[in-house]
Amino acid sequence: MRLYQFARDHRRCGSEVEALLLLALCRMRQGDVPLAFHTLEEAVVLAEAEKHVRVFLDEGAAMAELLAGWLKAGPARTDRKARQKHFQYAADLLELFQQAPRIRRPRPDALPPMAAALLTKREYEILRKIAEGATNENIAKELQLVYVGRS
């Protein structure tokens, strides 16, 4: 949330969209589908205004699945014209996923400029693994951290 707030406060739309997308993926992996869809919709609204595409594609198959689910559920915006515009934008993004299924992902150790200012490399690495669906136990093993599970 710090990355999102910093990006929002400094009017960094691309970074704001990226933070929202990562948050939406995390919420989806945690099983909070309505909140994941709400967060994704916020990102779509911001991204559509600036025509951001790469930030969605960089998140890979998990983002394509989230977009598809959101489109199937139907965007919640009440303004019909805006809803159609955002729905079409998301549908166009999904089509891009299908056209280029092997889009290169960013190196996991490379920090986006905004994240570097707010998160440590380790924090960003953990956040990315959560967004990819890794469990706490798997993250701890992979990063050689002490894991204390729930009893």
Side-chain angles (χ1 to χ4, degrees):
M1 288 303 291
R2 289 185 318 189
L3 176 62
Y4 170 72
Q5 193 59 50
F6 184 86
R8 187 173 180 178
D9 291 347
H10 290 86
R11 300 180 191 268
R12 304 279 309 254
C13 184
S15 297
E16 191 176 348
V17 170
E18 182 178 11
L20 285 169
L21 292 179
L22 289 172
L23 190 56
L25 288 170
C26 287
R27 288 173 170 166
M28 182 59 107
R29 294 292 183 195
Q30 292 172 339
D32 193 342
V33 176
L35 192 53
F37 285 170
H38 176 77
T39 306
L40 177 64
E41 186 165 343
E42 284 183 62
V44 167
V45 169
L46 284 172
E48 189 278 329
E50 301 279 330
K51 303 300 183 219
H52 290 278
V53 172
R54 172 59 55 194
V55 68
F56 287 87
L57 299 179
D58 284 346
E59 296 308 322
M63 181 53 61
E65 289 175 29
L66 185 60
L67 275 168
W70 178 70
L71 286 170
K72 186 175 180 181
R77 295 189 70 75
T78 54
D79 178 71
R80 185 172 182 223
K81 186 175 180 180
R83 182 175 54 232
Q84 287 177 324
K85 179 171 70 169
H86 299 131
F87 188 86
Q88 185 59 53
Y89 180 72
D92 292 345
L93 287 170
L94 264 182
E95 189 174 314
L96 289 173
F97 274 106
Q98 293 169 354
Q99 290 174 4
R102 297 176 194 256
I103 294 172
R104 283 184 50 197
R105 293 188 52 119
R107 289 188 0 242
D109 59 337
L111 291 176
M114 290 300 298
L118 298 171
L119 303 174
T120 67
K121 183 177 178 182
R122 190 69 148 190
E123 288 172 330
Y124 185 77
E125 185 177 9
I126 291 168
L127 182 60
R128 174 122 355 241
K129 290 187 181 307
I130 291 169
E132 291 172 353
T135 65
N136 291 344
E137 187 173 6
N138 289 342
I139 293 169
K141 284 179 184 176
E142 191 174 329
L143 301 179
Q144 299 176 347
L145 301 170
V146 175
Y147 175 71
V148 181
R150 293 184 187 171
S151 42

